[in-house]
PDB file of all heavy atoms in Angstrom:
ATOM      1  N   ALA R 293       8.141  22.278   9.353  1.00 55.00           N
ATOM      2  CA  ALA R 293       8.621  22.300   8.005  1.00 55.00           C
ATOM      3  C   ALA R 293       8.548  20.926   7.349  1.00 55.00           C
ATOM      4  O   ALA R 293       8.931  20.704   6.230  1.00 55.00           O
ATOM      5  CB  ALA R 293      10.073  22.766   7.916  1.00 55.00           C
ATOM      6  N   ALA R 294       8.058  19.922   8.135  1.00 60.00           N
ATOM      7  CA  ALA R 294       7.989  18.563   7.674  1.00 60.00           C
ATOM      8  C   ALA R 294       6.707  18.316   6.856  1.00 60.00           C
ATOM      9  O   ALA R 294       5.653  18.820   7.269  1.00 60.00           O
ATOM     10  CB  ALA R 294       8.084  17.597   8.803  1.00 60.00           C
ATOM     11  N   THR R 295       6.785  17.571   5.827  1.00 65.00           N
ATOM     12  CA  THR R 295       5.625  17.250   5.019  1.00 65.00           C
ATOM     13  C   THR R 295       5.176  15.775   5.224  1.00 65.00           C
ATOM     14  O   THR R 295       4.094  15.347   4.867  1.00 65.00           O
ATOM     15  CB  THR R 295       5.872  17.474   3.507  1.00 65.00           C
ATOM     16  OG1 THR R 295       7.010  16.582   3.077  1.00 65.00           O
ATOM     17  CG2 THR R 295       6.239  18.886   3.256  1.00 65.00           C
ATOM     18  N   GLY R 296       6.091  14.923   5.754  1.00 70.00           N
ATOM     19  CA  GLY R 296       5.774  13.519   5.950  1.00 70.00           C
ATOM     20  C   GLY R 296       5.887  12.698   4.651  1.00 70.00           C
ATOM     21  O   GLY R 296       5.413  11.625   4.587  1.00 70.00           O
ATOM     22  N   LEU R 297       6.517  13.309   3.623  1.00 81.00           N
ATOM     23  CA  LEU R 297       6.637  12.668   2.326  1.00 81.00           C
ATOM     24  C   LEU R 297       8.016  12.157   2.013  1.00 81.00           C
ATOM     25  O   LEU R 297       8.229  11.168   1.331  1.00 81.00           O
ATOM     26  CB  LEU R 297       6.188  13.585   1.208  1.00 81.00           C
ATOM     27  CG  LEU R 297       4.642  13.834   1.104  1.00 81.00           C
ATOM     28  CD1 LEU R 297       4.357  14.785  -0.070  1.00 81.00           C
ATOM     29  CD2 LEU R 297       3.941  12.548   0.820  1.00 81.00           C
ATOM     30  N   GLY R 298       9.076  12.882   2.523  1.00 83.00           N
ATOM     31  CA  GLY R 298      10.421  12.595   2.136  1.00 83.00           C
ATOM     32  C   GLY R 298      10.827  11.126   2.420  1.00 83.00           C
ATOM     33  O   GLY R 298      11.256  10.377   1.521  1.00 83.00           O
ATOM     34  N   LEU R 299      10.754  10.703   3.646  1.00 88.00           N
ATOM     35  CA  LEU R 299      11.178   9.320   4.019  1.00 88.00           C
ATOM     36  C   LEU R 299      10.151   8.307   3.431  1.00 88.00           C
ATOM     37  O   LEU R 299      10.571   7.169   3.122  1.00 88.00           O
ATOM     38  CB  LEU R 299      11.230   9.180   5.524  1.00 88.00           C
ATOM     39  CG  LEU R 299      12.408   9.980   6.159  1.00 88.00           C
ATOM     40  CD1 LEU R 299      12.384   9.728   7.727  1.00 88.00           C
ATOM     41  CD2 LEU R 299      13.713   9.598   5.573  1.00 88.00           C
ATOM     42  N   TYR R 300       8.892   8.651   3.361  1.00 88.00           N
ATOM     43  CA  TYR R 300       7.983   7.728   2.699  1.00 88.00           C
ATOM     44  C   TYR R 300       8.348   7.403   1.255  1.00 88.00           C
ATOM     45  O   TYR R 300       8.343   6.310   0.820  1.00 88.00           O
ATOM     46  CB  TYR R 300       6.543   8.388   2.764  1.00 88.00           C
ATOM     47  CG  TYR R 300       5.582   7.679   1.835  1.00 88.00           C
ATOM     48  CD1 TYR R 300       5.045   6.411   2.104  1.00 88.00           C
ATOM     49  CD2 TYR R 300       5.179   8.344   0.690  1.00 88.00           C
ATOM     50  CE1 TYR R 300       4.206   5.805   1.204  1.00 88.00           C
ATOM     51  CE2 TYR R 300       4.268   7.717  -0.219  1.00 88.00           C
ATOM     52  CZ  TYR R 300       3.804   6.470   0.064  1.00 88.00           C
ATOM     53  OH  TYR R 300       2.950   5.907  -0.848  1.00 88.00           O
ATOM     54  N   LEU R 301       8.670   8.557   0.522  1.00 88.00           N
ATOM     55  CA  LEU R 301       9.093   8.355  -0.894  1.00 88.00           C
ATOM     56  C   LEU R 301      10.396   7.583  -0.980  1.00 88.00           C
ATOM     57  O   LEU R 301      10.596   6.708  -1.809  1.00 88.00           O
ATOM     58  CB  LEU R 301       9.251   9.716  -1.553  1.00 88.00           C
ATOM     59  CG  LEU R 301       7.998  10.559  -1.712  1.00 88.00           C
ATOM     60  CD1 LEU R 301       8.278  11.892  -2.275  1.00 88.00           C
ATOM     61  CD2 LEU R 301       7.025   9.822  -2.700  1.00 88.00           C
TER      62      LEU R 301
END
Side-chain angles (χ1 to χ4, degrees):
T295 62
L297 286 178
L299 291 182
Y300 163 75
L301 293 173

